[in-house]
Amino acid sequence: DAGVIQSPRHEVTEMGQEVTLRCKPISGHNSLFWYRQTMMRGLELLIYFNNNVPIDDSGMPEDRFSAKMPNASFSTLKIQPSEPRDSAVYFCASSFVGDTEAFFGQGTRLTVV
Amino acid sequence: LAKTTQPISMDSYEGQEVNITCSHNNIATNDYITWYQQFPSQGPRFIIQGYKTKVTNEVASLFIPADRKSSTLSLPRVSLSDTAVYYCLVENSNSGYALNFGKGTSLLVTP
């Protein structure tokens, strides 16, 4: 397996634009996590899914953020409209439900100007 | 969730043993202790997990005292490539294994 695949690796966008980050988890994994990492706030859990169902989205900063997992092999994190303070590295990770060993993707570095 | 506390940063010289301690005073009976490592520009990577006593693998050892209110990650004879951020997590099935990371401990290894 190629591991967790995230796209794009880098994204530069203008304030107010919609941004969509994509994630393909490891085949067979049934938990998926979205994180945001900044120097100031560290690695924050935004939302996680078990068996494609959102379990906890309390980390989603505001209504501008939304995440979906339409099937077991794909998830998106959308920011609309984007703001400069959304600039961060966004990580996706997957694991088996109930397993604390998660595998992370390479991340998407988002810059909102 | 059991909150964890770890030092913000640590420094070490090459070849030394490094011990990073994590406090988790409110750990529950069914909580597991997991450590991750993150290199710059990469996502975190699982290192080791334990419930009690000692666990050892090819990367590190994890020491957990009987009361389980703390744990110590031990890295033997560190090299420059061990420079990374190390995270301590405490998770259980009740939380759905949400994998909440704190700020971690930034370890700098120098020659």
Side-chain angles (χ1 to χ4, degrees):
Chain A
D1 200 308
V4 176
I5 300 173
Q6 292 186 243
S7 63
R9 291 292 309 278
H10 303 273
E11 176 81 28
V12 180
T13 190
E14 291 183 345
M15 181 174 61
Q17 296 296 306
E18 177 181 294
V19 175
T20 300
L21 311 181
R22 297 173 175 79
C23 176
K24 176 178 168 54
I26 291 173
S27 177
H29 281 182
N30 47 11
S31 278
L32 184 138
F33 308 81
W34 281 101
Y35 293 89
R36 178 174 68 176
Q37 186 167 40
T38 61
M39 288 292 292
M40 290 295 293
R41 302 174 69 90
L43 191 61
E44 303 173 276
L45 176 65
L46 300 178
I47 185 172
Y48 75 98
F49 298 82
N50 282 349
N51 297 307
N52 310 339
V53 176
I55 301 301
D56 184 356
D57 65 353
S58 60
M60 297 286 263
E62 44 195 280
D63 292 345
R64 297 185 297 107
F65 286 69
S66 62
K68 294 182 179 180
M69 192 164 187
N71 57 61
S73 59
F74 183 66
S75 177
T76 59
L77 178 67
K78 184 179 295 186
I79 308 173
Q80 166 63 21
S82 59
E83 297 181 3
R85 58 194 170 117
D86 301 331
S87 297
V89 179
Y90 291 81
F91 287 104
C92 174
S94 71
S95 71
F96 292 109
V97 171
D99 192 343
T100 57
E101 182 174 3
F103 295 81
F104 281 72
Q106 290 288 79
T108 295
R109 181 173 296 277
L110 173 65
T111 304
V112 183
V113 298
Chain B
L1 293 173
K3 183 177 179 180
T4 60
T5 303
Q6 359 174 182
I8 294 175
S9 64
M10 295 182 69
D11 295 330
S12 178
Y13 292 108
E14 271 189 301
Q16 290 188 327
E17 177 183 80
V18 171
N19 296 308
I20 306 173
T21 297
C22 178
S23 297
H24 26 80
N25 292 319
N26 297 322
I27 192 167
T29 301
N30 55 349
D31 284 340
Y32 282 80
I33 300 156
T34 308
W35 285 80
Y36 278 76
Q37 174 190 56
Q38 184 179 23
F39 296 116
S41 301
Q42 295 185 25
R45 180 179 74 116
F46 173 93
I47 303 177
I48 197 166
Q49 176 186 282
Y51 183 79
K52 62 180 178 180
T53 64
K54 176 183 175 182
V55 179
T56 297
N57 62 23
E58 66 278 4
V59 177
S61 293
L62 179 59
F63 298 93
I64 305 169
D67 65 6
R68 303 199 328 122
K69 294 184 182 299
S70 67
S71 58
T72 299
L73 177 73
S74 181
L75 305 172
R77 297 181 298 281
V78 294
S79 64
L80 299 178
S81 62
D82 291 317
T83 293
V85 178
Y86 293 83
Y87 298 92
C88 166
L89 284 71
V90 174
E91 298 289 341
N92 62 56
S93 59
N94 292 336
S95 69
Y97 296 99
L99 301 185
N100 284 288
F101 289 75
K103 292 289 184 67
T105 297
S106 181
L107 172 65
L108 175 63
V109 181
T110 54

